[in-house]
Amino acid sequence: MSVSVQEADFDVGAEITALSAGRAEVGAVASFVGLVRNAGHGNAVAAMTLEHYPGMTESALAEIVVEAQGRWPLQGVRVIHRYGRLLPGERIVFVGVASAHRGAAFAACEFIMDYLKTRAPFWKLEETPEGAHWVDARESDDAAASRWEESWEAIDQRR
Amino acid sequence: MTELNILYFASLREALGCSGERLSLPEGVSTLGALREHLAARGEGWAALAAGRNVRAAVNQRMAGFDAPVAPGDEVAFFPPVTGG
């Protein structure tokens, strides 16, 4: 398990390869890459600046990964989140998950992204022709994260 | 340490015109909510911390509810809902 919060870009291919390197028990690697869009909420976006809370951001991401490892049998997890000023098309976030089977890999990857969106302290400032503005949190992100809480309860009930 | 280390992030940092401060724990303040109320009462831009505003907080780098206790030496952070990913 490895978490990085960094300004630098990352190599998606190398990260995916590393998740299964030397681990013959890995049968599935699922990954997600988040990119800066050129439009948000009807505005043209010229650039986006990501602010974070050094220290807490890393520990919040690590905690999300530990929670994922408690829910699914995972052989490897890699999370990279960038900060600083990024242009449309640039990569923001990478989540890669290795497991024996695809079900766990897909689910854990989506779970980590959903929790990251609502629990990791990052904030986006969008630059548009009308000026810079902070992106508002979306209720749909809270809803996406909370569906995992429901399923966690369902898991508990089955125990 | 007898002081709190308080940090402000993103739009809240801009509204307050300040990224952080060291503060002696005010008398009668023992929870995050009471601290928030104390700060909001400074007036002007500090109203951004007032009840009803969408503010989140952390104590010692963990997300915390406003009923969480605060003590001297704690690192407290106030910020808007997160928007990463």
Side-chain angles (χ1 to χ4, degrees), chain B residues 21-58:
Chain B
E21 62 182 300
R22 300 195 71 89
L23 184 77
S24 293
L25 194 65
E27 209 174 323
V29 169
S30 61
T31 65
L32 205 44
L35 176 64
R36 173 182 176 177
E37 213 169 288
H38 174 86
L39 295 168
R42 288 171 169 175
E44 295 184 8
W46 294 90
L49 280 168
R53 299 296 188 94
N54 207 352
V55 173
R56 304 293 161 87

Side-chain angles (χ1 to χ4, degrees), chain B residues 54-76:
Chain B
N54 207 352
V55 173
R56 304 293 161 87
V59 177
N60 297 326
Q61 305 197 351
R62 293 184 69 91
M63 294 284 187
F66 287 101
D67 54 350
V70 288
D74 282 347
E75 177 175 298
V76 174

Side-chain angles (χ1 to χ4, degrees), chain A residues 51-56 59 63 81 92-93 113 116-124 134-137, chain B residues 7-14 56-58 60-63 75-77 79-85:
Chain A
E51 180 172 330
H52 76 298
Y53 181 171
M56 178 172 166
S59 54
E63 205 168 298
H81 202 301
I92 304 174
V93 59
M113 270 312 300
L116 181 158
K117 283 256 177 197
T118 54
R119 296 187 178 195
F122 287 102
W123 301 274
K124 287 183 181 135
W134 293 94
V135 174
D136 283 329
Chain B
L7 304 172
Y8 307 106
F9 289 96
S11 56
L12 194 56
R13 169 175 51 77
E14 290 187 345
R56 304 293 161 87
N60 297 326
Q61 305 197 351
R62 293 184 69 91
M63 294 284 187
E75 177 175 298
V76 174
F79 41 80
V82 303
T83 57

Side-chain angles (χ1 to χ4, degrees), chain A residues 64-86:
Chain A
I64 293 166
V65 171
V66 166
E67 191 154 348
Q69 288 170 322
R71 294 182 180 214
W72 295 279
L74 306 178
Q75 263 89 45
V77 181
R78 179 78 171 119
V79 178
I80 308 171
H81 202 301
R82 297 177 69 192
Y83 63 89
R85 189 169 180 271
L86 302 172

